[in-house]
Amino acid sequence: RVLSVAYGLTDADIVYCSTPALQNRLETLGFKERLRTGPFHCAGDVLAQSSSMPVKTIGYMGFDHAHDLAMITPSLVRVLDKYQNIRFELFGTIPVPPEFERFGDRISSHLPVRPYDAFLAHLTRLQWDIGLCPLADTAFNRYKANNKWVEYTSTGAAVIATAGMAYDQCCSDGCGVLVSNVEGWFEAIDKLCSNPSLRLSLVENAQRRLRKDYSLKNLRNQILEVFDEANEIRKIARTARAACDHSGA
């Protein structure tokens, strides 16, 4: 796998990086040529509106990164103890932590759904009021994209996310809540659970940003620009090879 990745990084016409952070990382490793990125990695559309009704369900979507959930589990337990009518749901491959067992049917877990359209449809049906985006400070997480913000926002959930990593820009200007330390998670979740109008405002702001910036059209144009640049690079390389062959003949 490492050899395949290295081959792509050195021989591809263009290396299209998912995030600027990943591009910077590859540059520090010595791959300085033909790296490109853009402001969007995931596009979305508004699939469900929200309301100022009291919070019913908090959700976390995750695949094989139980340590991210473990980081905020104590805060979630405190929230569930305080708000007896709120549920917590998991969607993905992460098993339910044992700390939640005592909450009985207020906890549920949903297995992964594929393909992507079916996944979004299922996430929409869950009707989460708050979607959580915790990220432990690991090498892998530092280069993640903000897909979860796009997906939660699409389905009408207010986003609470770890600050200083993938979600700073998309959550800015009242489009989400950023948490800078582990201790701040209870306060952030509690604030939205106790203030439905604030939660609704976050969703409305985020969905406006989603429509304006994270549209399929914007992502398509970004990708097509990369393809056009790759084609131009290929044409230049062909012309150069042809000139060399001609001079050698």
Side-chain angles (χ1 to χ4, degrees), residues 232-248:
E232 191 62 31
I233 291 173
R234 178 63 61 90
K235 289 177 184 177
I236 293 172
R238 285 175 178 169
T239 301
R241 284 196 297 270
C244 289
D245 292 342
H246 181 73
S247 62

Side-chain angles (χ1 to χ4, degrees), residues 47-200:
L47 303 175
Q49 304 290 338
S50 191
S51 70
S52 60
M53 296 291 290
V55 171
K56 295 179 180 178
T57 309
I58 300 169
Y60 173 69
M61 172 180 50
F63 300 85
D64 304 321
H65 296 285
H67 53 276
D68 292 330
L69 176 61
M71 181 178 71
I72 66 168
T73 292
S75 295
L76 280 168
V77 168
R78 288 180 63 190
V79 168
L80 293 173
D81 278 332
K82 180 174 180 179
Y83 298 92
Q84 300 293 319
N85 59 334
I86 289 180
R87 296 170 40 79
F88 176 64
E89 294 187 343
L90 287 167
F91 183 16
T93 58
I94 296 175
V96 177
E99 293 91 333
F100 295 113
E101 291 178 359
R102 65 184 177 89
F103 295 106
D105 61 5
R106 293 171 60 198
I107 308 296
S108 58
S109 179
H110 303 265
L111 293 174
V113 175
R114 297 179 177 84
Y116 191 64
D117 285 349
F119 157 79
L120 284 178
H122 187 81
L123 184 62
T124 303
R125 287 193 295 271
L126 294 180
Q127 296 182 311
W128 288 353
D129 299 297
I130 297 172
L132 306 177
C133 299
L135 287 177
D137 188 10
T138 66
F140 179 85
N141 282 345
R142 291 183 203 116
Y143 311 115
K144 283 180 69 72
N146 60 3
N147 294 28
K148 275 194 179 72
W149 179 90
V150 172
E151 291 155 352
Y152 287 158
T153 297
S154 295
T155 57
V159 175
I160 303 177
T162 296
M165 302 186 82
Y167 302 104
D168 286 15
Q169 190 280 327
C170 57
C171 283
S172 64
D173 304 317
C175 294
V177 177
L178 293 167
V179 182
S180 58
N181 54 62
V182 174
E183 294 74 20
W185 277 90
F186 171 77
E187 180 182 348
I189 300 171
D190 180 46
K191 187 175 183 178
L192 295 193
C193 289
S194 63
N195 192 337
S197 61
L198 172 61
R199 192 200 65 81
L200 176 61

